[in-house]
Structure formats: structure tokens, C-alpha cells
Amino acid sequence: MKVTFLGTGTSVGVPVIGCDCEVCTSDDPRNNRLRASLYVQGGGVDIVVDTPPDFRMQALRHGVMHIDAVLFTHSHADHIFGFDDIRRFNTIQGHTMIPAYAGRETLRDLQRIFPYVVPEKPEGLFRPIIEWREIEGAFRLGGMDITPLPVMHGPLETLGFKFECEGKSVGYVPDCFEMPEETRTLVEGLDVLILDALKPTPHKTHLTVDQSVALLKELGAGSSYLIHMCHDVEHAATEESLPSNIHVSYDGLVLSV
């Protein structure tokens, strides 16, 4: 699998509007974070997880040229509001339908927010050509096996995803405050695990850096990456403080798994 971090920031991105802190004014490009999104390629399919408001810029910046499916973790604004730009991929892929997968509540929100989505090309109109598909359990796309990973994002249940292809495994959990035992079992010993780590201090709906690192140590992935970080996380200093197999992700990071 090839995994590209399209965005690694929290809901407001980094730099934050109107902030002149050390991270927001940093010369290190790894401290510049668009909203969280992942591009996973393998098994003959190209998959985007979440379409944040920055999605158009992410696709241009990181050379996303093809999408076979879109997966949604949940329906918060920072994870869905770039969805309209999927219509460009419909066009360059011959006006073919692209399936969008989400849990029941997320799917209901998406259908309410994007009521103009259609399953086939409308005459004379430029709209996303999408088939909505509810996630009810594990499923397969091409040669990729995908398992939903339910976690708690404060009071809201959201999804992460486990991707398995040709004997390799990647877990992606960008918004998480608590991981149920059944989900922990699903992500133990993966090749790569990507996990929420909002900031160093406590938050009501996200793991802190220390909480994320402690959980990653328990889960024992071959290598792990922190994601969904705010401007309280300085890349180089945080990376230096971590165990050797746990890293701070950054926009544009590409993993070959």
C-alpha cells in the first residue's frame, strides 16, 4: 500500500487565523497543517478518507489524480466540506459514479448537506455523481479489505478504518477520545497505526499527545503516527520526544507499506 497524508491538522488548521505563536509562524513546513485527510492506494484501488474544506488544495498539492471511493469517519465540518470537489474526479474519470461510504448517522447528515448529489450524470449540470453506501461491517474494494473501527469522539461515535492488502495492514483513527476494547483488538499489531493526538493538554473529545503515545505503545504497531494536531504541537520538538517507532505525521508524508 501507498499512504499519503493529505492533511494532518485539527479543525482550524495550522497556522491558525490571527495567531502569531511559535508554531503558526514557524519556517518548518511540517508545522503547516491542512485539515485531516488520507489517500490510500493498493489492491488496484485509490481511496480518500474524508474530504475536508482544504480537499481541492490537497488534491492539487499532492497529485491526487484518481479516486475509486470516498470513506467518511464522521460528519463534522472539517471532515466533509470539500466533498463537492469530488465532481471533478467524476469528470476526469469519464463521468463515472464514485461510491461514498459512511456510517448511518454520518450518511444521513451527508445526504442532508449535499442533497444535489446524483448517482448518474445529469444533462447539462456539473454535480457530484455519487452512490451513497452505508457501512454495516467489513467490506472489500478491489484487492483491499476495509474494516470500520468504531471509537468515541467525546459523546459521538465515529469511525476509523483498517486497511489490509497483500498481507499488510494500516489503521487510521483521526478523531478519538476513547477506543473500545473490541476496536483495540482489531488494531493490535498492525504494520502502521495512525492515531489522533490533538495537543499536550487535556481535551473533552480528543486524545492528548501523551494519551495517544501510551495507547500506541499498548497496541504495538510496527510504526505509528500522530495526526489531527493543533498549533500546540511543534513538529521537531515533539518528534524528538517520542519513542523510536512513533512519529509526528506531516502534510505530504508518503508511506510505502
Side-chain angles (χ1 to χ4, degrees), residues 162 164 167-171 183-193 215-224:
K162 179 168 69 172
E164 297 175 283
K168 299 295 184 178
S169 54
V170 174
T183 298
R184 294 187 185 210
T185 301
L186 290 170
V187 295
E188 287 180 348
L190 301 182
D191 292 299
V192 174
L193 181 55
L215 181 53
L216 289 169
K217 287 179 178 179
E218 290 179 21
L219 297 172
S223 59
S224 301

Side-chain angles (χ1 to χ4, degrees), residues 128-228:
I129 306 169
I130 300 294
E131 180 179 279
W132 300 113
R133 296 183 183 177
E134 182 180 342
I135 297 173
E136 299 179 298
F139 57 102
R140 187 173 177 86
L141 292 174
M144 184 91 68
D145 290 308
I146 302 168
T147 304
L149 304 171
V151 296
M152 298 309 298
H153 177 25
L156 175 69
E157 182 178 275
T158 64
L159 294 179
F161 296 99
K162 179 168 69 172
F163 301 92
E164 297 175 283
C165 182
E166 297 181 5
K168 299 295 184 178
S169 54
V170 174
Y172 179 64
V173 185
D175 290 67
C176 178
F177 179 71
E178 183 179 358
M179 185 178 290
E181 191 61 39
E182 50 270 33
T183 298
R184 294 187 185 210
T185 301
L186 290 170
V187 295
E188 287 180 348
L190 301 182
D191 292 299
V192 174
L193 181 55
I194 304 160
L195 183 61
D196 186 8
L198 182 70
K199 58 181 182 174
T201 54
H203 192 273
K204 292 183 178 180
T205 64
H206 291 271
L207 293 169
T208 67
V209 171
D210 285 347
Q211 289 169 338
S212 185
V213 169
L215 181 53
L216 289 169
K217 287 179 178 179
E218 290 179 21
L219 297 172
S223 59
S224 301
Y225 293 83
L226 309 184
I227 198 170
H228 210 292

Side-chain angles (χ1 to χ4, degrees), residues 38-122:
L38 200 71
Y39 188 44
V40 182
Q41 298 170 279
V45 292
D46 303 328
I47 300 167
V48 165
V49 185
D50 290 335
T51 56
D54 310 306
F55 179 65
R56 174 182 171 274
M57 180 59 67
Q58 292 170 337
L60 291 169
R61 182 177 293 179
H62 303 300
V64 178
M65 299 296 292
H66 186 270
I67 295 175
D68 291 297
V70 183
L71 276 55
F72 287 101
T73 58
H74 63 301
S75 58
H76 284 172
D78 56 317
H79 291 260
I80 69 170
F81 276 178
F83 184 59
D84 186 76
D85 287 311
I86 291 295
R87 59 186 174 151
R88 176 58 186 156
F89 292 93
N90 293 126
T91 299
I92 62 180
Q93 293 168 204
H95 304 291
T96 56
M97 181 275 296
I98 296 174
Y101 294 79
R104 178 174 300 176
E105 296 300 321
T106 300
L107 198 60
R108 185 172 62 184
D109 288 341
L110 288 164
Q111 290 171 320
R112 173 178 55 83
I113 296 165
F114 301 102
Y116 55 88
V117 163
V118 291
E120 56 186 36
K121 184 182 185 300

